[in-house]
Amino acid sequence: SAIQASKAAVKLTPTKEDYQKVYNTIAHILDEAGEYDDGSFGPVVVRLAWHASGTYDKTTGTGGSNYATMRFEPESLHAANNGLHVGRELMEKVKQQYPWISYGDLWTLAGVAAIQEMAGPKIPWRPGRIDGVASNVTPDGRLPDATQGAQHIRDIFYRMGFNDQEIVALIGAHALGRCHSDRSGFEGPWTFSPTTFTNDFYKLLFEEKWVWKKWSGPKQLQDKKTGTLMMLPTDYVLTQDKSFKKYAKAYADDQDLFFKDFSAAFAKLLELGVPSQQFVASEPWILQTLEEQKA
Ligand code: ZEM
């Protein structure tokens, strides 16, 4: 019938296989970075997924990944989101190929693909986010400020519903990528392998001697030995605060533990603000890496 024909033309309920296809397209695009940064769009896409989700406020139930409000001003212009247009524009190419996916699903799925393709743990993920409108934008100041201390970190992440262990696990994503002076004002990478997901962030925190960088930019630390690596003041706090330090040390000593805890915390982050009845699948899925699908 005509109704059946029109239903076939519009994808009503995409399957796990459909999302695996989107994942695969994203994974290929992440690799087409050429001279950009360290040769991968993976890190900036992880940051996009994080900033799209980390606006959540558990008290009011506002923010989070549901409405993909970073598409709208003024949220797109918040200083914390400087540079993330790179990730958003990249994902626009994917959206054109799969117009049925919501932006929230697309950005969070891209974060999952980036972590998994950069040799990180599997991140359970499921679709269900819907596109919101400009009036859903969140106020400035919901994302962490790197110049601050332990109290600020707790204020921000407790507001999202995370505990100290989850906070420390999440910040381990700084194994990836780098700071850009024209985006945040800070400069440089945290590790020697910024496109591979490892527990090196914690190892370096404890194994290297960190000294304040002498420059006109914002206060940041550099490793005394080579001067090429950096830590933000908030990163360094993970070695100073007693509770944070306990977890950071555990992750420095045990990569498997870090991978397991990061996976759980990141999966939780990506679902913040999404009403559970919106999720299509009752349990999150594990999507395959490009490598696994070759077999
Ligand atoms: Zn970040 N992060 N982040 N972060 N982040 C930067 C870069 C990246 C903080 C922060 O101020 C900054 C988490 C937590 C916190 C990533 C992932 C995650 C940059 C540099 C700053 C300043 C931006 C630039 O100049 O381009 C603070 C204060 C945090 C908590 C206290 C969490 C949680 C993350 C994910 C789970 C990633 C992947 C990058 C690298 C981006 C890139 O473009 O290379």
Side-chain angles (χ1 to χ4, degrees), residues 37 43-44 46-47 50 144-146 153 157 170-171 173-174 176-180 183-184 186 190 232 234 262 266:
D37 272 7
V44 75
V46 170
R47 190 163 197 243
W50 141 235
D145 170 356
I153 299 174
F157 282 89
L170 284 171
I171 296 175
H174 284 169
L176 299 171
R178 54 174 61 244
C179 297
H180 305 78
R183 296 182 186 176
S184 61
F186 299 98
W190 290 267
L232 299 166
T234 45
F262 179 83
F266 195 59

Side-chain angles (χ1 to χ4, degrees), residues 77-99:
L77 302 175
H78 289 168
N81 292 329
N82 281 352
L84 292 182
H85 65 279
V86 172
R88 292 196 304 271
E89 283 163 18
L90 218 54
M91 289 307 111
E92 208 53 55
K93 295 192 217 170
V94 183
K95 174 76 176 174
Q96 274 162 25
Q97 213 176 318
Y98 307 94

